[in-house]
Amino acid sequence: MFSLIQMLFRKTYWQMLLRRATWEEAWMSLMRAHKDRRARKHLLRVLLLAATPVLVGLWLMWVIGSGALILILILVPIWWWQLRRGRQAQESAPSIVPQATARRELTEEELRPVREFLRQMSLVYAAMVDRAGTEGFLKQKELPENVEVIARRVYLDLLKRENLWDRLDRADREAMMMPDGHWEWRQINAVAIGLEPLRLMRWMLRVDFYLPFIGQQLKGDFTIAHELVKEPEKLVASDTLVSVTSVENAREAAMQYYLRGLAEEITRGYREPVDEKQRAWAQGVVDALAGKQHEDLVLGNELVSEAQKQQLEWATLLAYNRYHFLGWALRLMSGEALPETLPRVSPEPRVEEEEPA
């Protein structure tokens, strides 16, 4: 019970409880609970999360009503002292990890320029992605007469105010200078893919404390870009970066989704294998996991083996992008020199075919 009480005083507990995606993920688990034990375990954890304040309240009412309050007041200081002693002993315990395999992590001072670079990069991605969302809206909706769209002006003001305008890639500057409603679908779709790097940078910069698996984030949400355009100060609310270990774990999870999606695509004929060895590998993976509700990876409410072509290919692309972006971020967090220029968000210029003579 003391562990539940302690949990109520943690900021991460309330962030997780009030996080909208927590309940969306719980709903997806509910849809699979009758056939997937992993979904049932997830539902149980969410229910315990939600029931904790009620359980603690009922326990406190019982303690007060039974007269055991005095005993609790005596035990709490003892429990706190033991917990403190345990932490001190853990911190002072010698490491059993061989020094030769120990990984050097950058100091707070060394990580500061990495964090600032990611902050600047996040603002560029936020402005570009939010502009893509606006352009997509304008392509599909007819605005009333006498309504003026001023989105472009907002993005230009933000980038110039943050001293990022002159550091933008030329293609991004040209895209931003175009009048509202003049982006082509190719530009819109290519920039919208930047939602994934932006999501990862928000997580690394601790704007978002939790990064769901690929299978739980198949839908893009332009809100994460618009929020930073309106409140760029969110990126400096915390002065820390996510740990290297967390980035490594997220990268490994992304690789698992990518390899599973790749195997499924090759077996279905959506993608040509490199050679027969890769084809045999893909077939072996699919045969081992196909239809296994308790083991196969999940995309939304369905197993990878059950996913439609569009959903499968999109998840595989997201996993690929996440894996490579996190690998690049790990190199920066390990001391690799920061890029001199900010990465380009816009697509490569289209190569026009020469007319025959």
Side-chain angles (χ1 to χ4, degrees):
M1 183 56 69
F2 283 118
S3 62
L4 294 181
I5 297 175
Q6 187 180 28
M7 186 164 57
L8 292 179
F9 290 94
R10 293 175 182 168
K11 181 181 179 180
T12 53
Y13 166 79
W14 294 104
Q15 287 175 323
M16 182 64 75
L17 182 66
L18 301 176
R19 172 176 163 268
R20 177 182 175 183
T22 296
W23 303 103
E24 292 175 347
E25 293 160 10
W27 176 255
M28 288 189 289
S29 292
L30 181 62
M31 296 296 99
R32 295 187 49 80
H34 65 287
K35 56 183 178 181
D36 190 342
R37 69 171 69 96
R38 297 170 301 179
R40 293 193 288 271
K41 290 180 180 178
H42 177 245
L43 268 180
L44 184 60
R45 290 195 297 267
V46 173
L47 290 175
L48 180 60
L49 185 79
T52 295
V54 177
L55 294 175
V56 171
L58 292 174
W59 181 79
L60 289 175
M61 291 174 60
W62 174 81
V63 166
I64 296 173
S66 64
L69 184 60
I70 296 178
L71 178 62
I72 297 300
L73 293 177
I74 295 174
L75 291 177
V76 166
I78 298 175
W79 168 76
W80 176 83
W81 179 76
Q82 290 178 338
L83 181 63
R84 187 167 179 269
R85 286 287 301 273
R87 288 178 178 175
Q88 290 176 343
Q90 185 177 9
E91 292 173 356
S92 61
S95 174
I96 61 174
V97 179
Q99 292 298 315
T101 61
R103 179 186 61 243
R104 176 186 177 272
E105 296 190 13
L106 300 184
T107 64
E108 290 295 328
E109 185 67 24
E110 292 171 322
L111 280 174
R112 188 170 292 115
V114 178
R115 191 183 192 288
E116 177 58 22
F117 181 83
L118 290 176
R119 186 192 74 85
Q120 295 173 354
M121 187 173 162
S122 296
L123 286 176
V124 172
Y125 267 79
M128 291 292 293
V129 169
D130 199 40
R131 174 76 188 264
T134 300
E135 292 290 324
F137 176 83
L138 294 176
K139 287 285 187 185
Q140 302 176 71
K141 302 292 183 180
E142 183 175 347
L143 297 179
E145 294 183 6
N146 302 322
V147 173
E148 179 186 8
V149 180
I150 59 173
R152 169 178 167 273
R153 189 183 311 164
V154 172
Y155 306 130
L156 293 178
D157 289 345
L158 170 66
L159 293 170
K160 292 178 179 180
R161 186 171 65 249
E162 296 289 337
N163 298 319
L164 297 173
W165 179 251
D166 293 333
R167 299 186 60 197
L168 286 182
D169 183 89
R170 178 179 177 180
D172 290 341
R173 284 202 303 270
E174 291 177 351
M176 274 296 182
M177 289 296 294
M178 295 176 66
D180 290 306
H182 282 65
W183 280 21
E184 297 180 357
W185 275 116
R186 177 176 179 267
Q187 174 83 8
I188 295 171
N189 293 332
V191 173
I193 294 177
L195 273 169
E196 179 62 20
L198 180 60
R199 176 187 289 130
L200 296 173
M201 287 186 287
R202 284 174 58 107
W203 171 67
M204 293 182 65
L205 293 168
R206 313 317 289 143
V207 177
D208 301 323
F209 72 99
Y210 180 71
L211 179 67
F213 292 118
I214 290 291
Q216 298 171 326
Q217 286 193 324
L218 297 177
K219 294 182 180 180
D221 182 7
F222 286 94
T223 302
I224 67 173
H226 188 65
E227 181 184 56
L228 295 183
V229 170
K230 292 178 59 180
E231 301 178 81
E233 61 273 11
K234 283 182 175 290
L235 292 169
V236 294
S238 172
D239 59 355
T240 60
L241 272 176
V242 72
S243 69
V244 170
T245 300
S246 295
V247 177
E248 289 175 338
N249 291 339
R251 183 169 177 255
E252 177 64 25
M255 174 54 73
Q256 292 178 10
Y257 269 92
Y258 171 68
L259 292 177
R260 179 64 184 93
L262 178 65
E264 191 72 25
E265 287 185 5
I266 291 175
T267 304
R268 294 190 192 183
Y270 301 159
R271 184 191 299 242
E272 285 296 321
V274 175
D275 49 33
E276 287 303 315
K277 184 178 179 180
Q278 189 182 49
R279 186 190 300 276
W281 162 81
Q283 189 65 56
V285 171
V286 170
D287 291 343
L289 294 174
K292 294 188 177 180
Q293 300 293 341
H294 308 300
E295 299 178 24
D296 199 4
L297 296 180
V298 178
L299 302 179
N301 296 329
E302 299 177 324
L303 297 179
V304 171
S305 60
E306 302 168 343
Q308 299 297 315
K309 178 182 179 181
Q310 184 177 6
Q311 186 183 47
L312 173 64
E313 292 180 334
W314 178 241
T316 306
L317 175 62
L318 283 180
Y320 178 85
N321 290 343
R322 178 175 293 193
Y323 175 80
H324 282 280
F325 183 88
L326 292 178
W328 172 78
L330 278 172
R331 293 193 296 272
L332 294 186
M333 296 175 71
S334 299
E336 184 176 291
L338 295 174
E340 295 183 0
T341 59
L342 293 169
R344 175 167 58 190
V345 187
S346 297
E348 294 287 339
R350 190 192 300 272
V351 178
E352 300 293 342
E353 296 183 0
E354 296 184 2
E355 295 184 1

